[in-house]
Amino acid sequence: MSSSIALASARSTTGFGDARGRGARDEQGRIELLCKAGPDGAALGDCPFCHYVQMVLRYKGLRYRLIPLTPEDKPEWLVEGYGGKMPCLVHDEEAYTDSGTITQYLEYFFPGEEPLTVEDEKPELAEEVKTATSGVFGAFARYMKNMDKEQDPPLQAALFEELDKVDSFLQTTKGPFLAGERITLDDMALAPKLYHIKVGVAHFKNVIIPPSLTALAAYMQHMFDMDIFQESSYPPDVITWGWGNARK
């Protein structure tokens, strides 16, 4: 693939052009997903953002080619044109990085019977979900990367506070998902992060997610049991490998 791959032109308010609806399953075009490779340099790595994108692709029934890459294997066009960022979705002759942008693109070009967002119909709920979930992964990353044991207690407390926000919010919902009965992009984004948290804190910090967070525990089990989660996932030891490198 040449470095001439360009982002879709901003011919609509979405910035994704005006070809919405062309994505019938038999006319979907070529889709490739470039992502972080695992310890062997060939299998899928531990990126929760790639996991998220794959869940959306599978939920929508889209065919795609997964291409795990080491830093050394990244093609020149990806490094020069996109700073080497992954995951990177290539759809025909367009490429997108950033999981949020990628999933918005997929939702726009390949809409389902029901939208995977609630912003338009329930903007207040969308904001509540964002408030409840947006701080989780940052708190986890700070805790995981900390090598000063004296700083672990406040960082652990900060993470558990964020998880408590999610648990409290889930107690108010009327269904198994963040928005109730219908799965959304927010669920698919959060579940891989919770997987990292569950594995990471147990392995590196010798702690577990507080058992008192029962709504969160039920939510995690429900999400982890979904086919789209499992078929897009990687073993726990790949997570510990990834965070082991991040902690060096």
Side-chain angles (χ1 to χ4, degrees), residues 9 11-12 14 16-24 91 94 105 108-111:
S9 61
R11 292 192 298 271
S12 73
T14 65
F16 294 140
D18 56 5
R20 187 181 188 189
R22 70 174 179 173
H91 182 209
E94 298 173 358
Y105 176 88
Y108 182 75
F109 277 112
F110 303 99

Side-chain angles (χ1 to χ4, degrees), residues 28 30-38 41-47 49-55 57-58 62-69 86-90 230-234:
Q28 68 168 48
R30 174 177 56 89
I31 297 178
E32 296 178 338
L33 183 62
L34 284 62
C35 62
K36 177 183 178 182
L44 178 63
D46 64 310
C47 177
F49 305 102
C50 180
H51 195 171
Y52 166 32
V53 173
Q54 284 201 84
M55 288 180 70
L57 286 164
R58 289 180 178 275
L62 297 170
R63 302 181 305 276
Y64 65 98
R65 179 188 176 202
L66 185 67
I67 307 176
L69 296 170
M86 297 189 295
C88 177
L89 181 92
V90 179
Q230 296 185 11
E231 293 167 358
S232 307
S233 193
Y234 30 80

Side-chain angles (χ1 to χ4, degrees), residues 6-217:
L7 296 179
S9 61
R11 292 192 298 271
S12 73
T13 56
T14 65
F16 294 140
D18 56 5
R20 187 181 188 189
R22 70 174 179 173
R25 297 301 180 267
D26 57 347
E27 300 176 357
Q28 68 168 48
R30 174 177 56 89
I31 297 178
E32 296 178 338
L33 183 62
L34 284 62
C35 62
K36 177 183 178 182
D40 65 357
L44 178 63
D46 64 310
C47 177
F49 305 102
C50 180
H51 195 171
Y52 166 32
V53 173
Q54 284 201 84
M55 288 180 70
V56 177
L57 286 164
R58 289 180 178 275
Y59 183 84
K60 291 181 174 294
L62 297 170
R63 302 181 305 276
Y64 65 98
R65 179 188 176 202
L66 185 67
I67 307 176
L69 296 170
T70 66
E72 297 75 23
D73 291 335
K74 292 180 182 180
E76 184 178 352
W77 65 263
L78 179 64
V79 175
E80 292 185 354
Y82 302 92
K85 295 179 181 178
M86 297 189 295
C88 177
L89 181 92
V90 179
H91 182 209
D92 292 332
E93 295 304 316
E94 298 173 358
Y96 289 89
T97 59
D98 179 78
S99 58
T101 300
I102 292 169
T103 53
Q104 289 173 20
Y105 176 88
L106 293 172
E107 178 68 354
Y108 182 75
F109 277 112
F110 303 99
E113 294 182 2
E114 291 186 316
L116 287 176
T117 61
V118 294
E119 281 84 354
D120 292 338
E121 57 188 291
K122 298 179 179 178
E124 292 184 359
L125 175 59
E127 187 60 32
E128 290 172 359
V129 170
K130 180 179 179 181
T131 299
T133 62
S134 61
V136 170
F137 199 66
F140 167 64
R142 288 187 289 273
Y143 182 36
M144 287 294 290
K145 292 179 180 179
N146 176 59
M147 305 299 288
D148 181 356
K149 290 186 177 181
E150 292 186 359
Q151 293 300 315
D152 262 1
L155 291 170
Q156 176 183 302
L159 171 60
F160 287 177
E161 181 179 348
E162 293 297 333
L163 293 175
D164 185 70
K165 287 182 185 178
V166 181
D167 182 80
S168 297
F169 179 77
L170 287 167
Q171 293 179 38
T172 69
T173 62
K174 298 180 180 180
F177 302 111
L178 290 167
E181 294 293 338
R182 195 175 84 209
I183 193 170
T184 65
L185 294 178
D186 293 309
D187 296 294
M188 298 186 211
L190 181 61
K193 297 172 183 177
L194 293 173
Y195 179 36
H196 275 243
I197 293 171
K198 178 181 179 181
V199 173
V201 298
H203 182 86
F204 291 102
K205 303 296 185 177
N206 197 31
V207 299
I208 61 172
I209 295 174
S212 59
L213 304 181
T214 55
L216 177 62

